[in-house]
Amino acid sequence: MLLNYKMKTFQHSFVEFIPDYIEEGILYISIKYHTAVHKCACGCGSEIVTPISPTDWRVTYNGETTSLYPSIGNWGLECKSHYWIENDKVIFARSWSEKEIEQGRNLDKKRKNQYFSKWKKRKK
Ligand SMILES: [Zn+2]
């Protein structure tokens, strides 16, 4: 069987403000507001907002393509899609189990606590 498989790609757009209308297949990146927005790669149309910070996502731009790190897990959405955006390409990952989602959340909490406690120490 031949599969007509087309790799899903994103174009990136560096913007000052995130536009009201988010176009499918474009990753909008606002450096000013430390935010990236795109429409869910599964095609369900949901807008995914990824804050850019040391404890959230980071965007890498190599002069041609962009990557978002870590992966995007839309557990709160009906589609529950999970994917990476790497060099403007979408790499779908398998969905996580409830247990893995829970573990991911705990790790995230731990990471944030560490980050903020470090920041507090520095402030003193
Ligand atoms: Zn989706």
Side-chain angles (χ1 to χ4, degrees):
M1 196 175 83
L2 262 177
L3 278 176
N4 187 11
Y5 181 74
K6 196 168 159 267
M7 174 78 84
K8 194 150 185 164
T9 56
F10 269 90
Q11 286 175 356
H12 53 267
S13 174
F14 289 101
V15 290
E16 185 175 2
F17 302 102
I18 302 296
D20 288 336
Y21 178 74
I22 304 298
E23 233 177 284
E24 190 94 32
I26 296 183
L27 176 66
Y28 297 89
I29 301 157
S30 169
I31 302 292
K32 189 172 177 182
Y33 294 100
H34 320 119
T35 304
V37 179
H38 69 281
K39 272 197 173 170
C40 181
C42 87
C44 70
S46 304
E47 288 175 12
I48 313 298
V49 179
T50 46
I52 300 165
S53 86
T55 58
D56 292 293
W57 279 270
R58 65 171 179 259
V59 170
T60 44
Y61 173 58
N62 68 3
E64 280 182 10
T65 60
T66 52
S67 305
L68 257 190
Y69 182 86
S71 64
I72 298 161
N74 297 323
W75 323 125
L77 297 179
E78 211 157 293
C79 67
K80 294 206 169 36
S81 57
H82 179 209
Y83 51 86
W84 302 79
I85 298 177
E86 209 179 284
N87 298 325
D88 283 356
K89 287 193 195 76
V90 179
I91 299 160
F92 283 97
R94 71 185 171 83
S95 296
W96 281 9
S97 67
E98 291 291 328
K99 202 179 158 205
E100 283 171 310
I101 293 171
E102 185 62 28
Q103 280 170 346
R105 282 208 186 111
N106 286 339
L107 200 72
D108 192 51
K109 232 183 270 168
K110 216 167 130 189
R111 213 157 34 118
K112 285 209 171 178
N113 285 341
Q114 275 170 356
Y115 172 72
F116 288 119
S117 63
K118 206 168 43 180
W119 183 75
K120 271 186 215 144
K121 263 181 229 149
R122 216 184 292 151
K123 246 191 126 181
K124 269 179 202 164

